[in-house]
Amino acid sequence: TAKVWAINAYGTSAPSSASDSFTPLLARGVFAGGKPSGTIVNVIQYIDISTTGNATDFGDLTEIKRGAAGMSSTTRGLFGGGFVTSANSKAIDYITIATTGNAQDFGDLTVIGSQIGGASNSTRGIAFGGDGRTAVIDYVTIASLGNATDFGDCPTSEHQAGVSSSTRGVFASRYASDTSIHYVTIGTTGDAVDFGDLSVGRNKPAGMSSGTRGVFGGGNGPSNVIDYITIASTGNATDFGDLTVTRDRAKGTSNGTRGVAMGGADASGTSLDVIDYITIATTGNATDFGNLTQALHTGSAVSASHGGLQ
C-alpha cells in the first residue's frame, strides 16, 4: 500500500499529511494448464511481469486441462472450461493471484468447450466461443462463486485470443485463414459486433492489452507476427513487430504496460518454454523474458493488472 502527499503549486510549503492511500496493482502473471509433448498437465506457474526471469511454481488446477478461458480481477484469476484428457469440460477453477496454492472450484460454464477466448474487467469475466461451444458467450461475476450466465452469441468460433479495456472485450482469429475481430461491451449483454480484421489471418495467437491498446502475437502457421488495435475504436489491426520465436498456441497477458507471450508450439507441434515481452505503448520486436517451468502450449493466462483493470 502506498500513501500520497501533496504540496502547493509553488512548492513553498511542507507536504500535507496523507489523506488517502492506494494499493498498486500486482504485476503478477499466471499461466495454467497446457500440453507439453506428452499428456495435458494441471500445473500453475507465475512470473513478475515488471521484471524478467523464469517462471516459478504456483500450485495445481483442480483438473488437468488445456484451452481454458483466462479471466481475472485485481485479486482473483479464473480458468473456465478446457479440454481434459479425452473430453471438453465446463468447470471453472479460481485462484487468489497474490498468493500461491492450488486452484479451487468456482462453478461451471453454461456449455462445455475448449480453446475459449477470455476477457475481463474488475468485476466481470467473459468466455467467448470455443470448440464445442459454437456461438456461445458466457459471463461470470468474478468476486462471487457460481455458474456462468448466457451473455449472447458470437460467430461460430474457437482458438480465440481475447484482450480487454475496462469497458470492452475484443476477440480475434477463429481459424488459420481468418482475420476477423469482434467485440462486446463487458458490462452489458448481447451479441458480438464486428470490429475489423487482423493484418494476417491466423488462429491461436496470444492476446495482451493495456487500457487502450490490444495486441495479438503469433498464431497458426505458425507465425511470429504481432499486430495491434485501439480497443475503444473499430478498424483493422496494424503491424507491431515480431515475436522472438515463430509459434502458435502461446498465451498472453500483461501488467497494463508490458505484454508477455508464454509458451506455444513450433511448426512441428513441439511445445516451447519461451516467454517474450513487449512494451504495449510502443511498436517493435519482442524481447526474451525467460522460460516457463516446462515447455507447454495451449495453456491459459491471467494477471492482476491487465488492460481491463486499468
Side-chain angles (χ1 to χ4, degrees):
T1 299
K3 292 185 177 180
V4 180
W5 286 264
I7 59 174
N8 66 25
Y10 298 97
T12 57
S13 62
S16 67
S17 297
S19 58
D20 206 348
S21 63
F22 70 97
T23 302
L25 297 179
L26 180 68
R28 176 174 284 184
V30 181
F31 184 89
K35 189 176 188 300
S37 297
T39 58
I40 306 168
V41 299
N42 65 350
V43 65
I44 309 173
Q45 48 196 301
Y46 72 96
I47 58 172
D48 180 347
I49 300 172
S50 63
T51 65
T52 57
N54 296 335
T56 302
D57 183 67
F58 185 101
D60 295 311
L61 295 169
T62 63
E63 57 186 357
I64 61 170
K65 66 169 69 182
R66 62 175 173 84
M71 306 165 279
S72 55
S73 68
T74 57
T75 56
R76 181 176 280 181
L78 275 58
F79 307 101
F83 186 84
V84 294
T85 309
S86 60
N88 288 329
S89 170
K90 62 180 180 179
I92 308 170
D93 283 0
Y94 78 95
I95 57 169
T96 301
I97 298 174
T99 65
T100 57
N102 295 336
Q104 301 179 64
D105 180 64
F106 182 95
D108 293 313
L109 297 175
T110 64
V111 180
I112 63 172
S114 63
Q115 319 299 345
I116 307 167
S120 51
N121 60 16
S122 60
T123 57
R124 181 178 278 190
I126 304 293
F128 189 97
D131 182 20
R133 288 168 53 83
T134 59
V136 176
I137 310 173
D138 286 349
Y139 76 93
V140 294
T141 301
I142 297 173
S144 58
L145 306 185
N147 296 333
T149 302
D150 181 68
F151 184 99
D153 294 319
C154 61
T156 302
S157 55
E158 57 182 291
H159 304 299
Q160 296 274 356
V163 298
S164 51
S165 67
S166 60
T167 57
R168 182 177 280 186
V170 184
F171 301 86
S173 185
R174 54 185 173 162
Y175 45 79
S177 61
D178 183 47
T179 60
S180 64
I181 309 172
H182 293 84
Y183 75 93
V184 297
T185 301
I186 297 173
T188 66
T189 57
D191 295 343
V193 178
D194 181 67
F195 185 100
D197 293 291
L198 294 172
S199 63
V200 178
R202 61 201 193 275
N203 68 357
K204 310 170 192 171
M208 305 158 273
S209 60
S210 66
T212 57
R213 178 178 281 187
V215 180
F216 302 99
N220 185 266
S223 170
N224 66 349
V225 172
I226 309 172
D227 48 14
Y228 73 94
I229 57 168
T230 301
I231 297 175
S233 64
T234 56
N236 296 336
T238 301
D239 181 67
F240 185 101
D242 297 312
L243 295 174
T244 65
V245 178
T246 297
R247 62 197 195 270
D248 64 8
R249 289 172 279 180
K251 288 299 176 178
T253 191
S254 73
N255 66 355
T257 302
R258 177 182 281 187
V260 289
M262 299 184 280
D266 64 17
S268 68
T270 301
S271 297
L272 303 171
D273 64 1
V274 176
I275 309 174
D276 287 356
Y277 75 93
I278 57 168
T279 301
I280 297 173
T282 65
T283 57
N285 295 336
T287 302
D288 181 66
F289 183 100
N291 300 101
L292 296 172
T293 60
Q294 66 183 111
L296 293 166
H297 67 71
T298 328
S300 304
V302 299
S303 86
S305 50
H306 60 78
L309 306 175
Q310 304 296 307

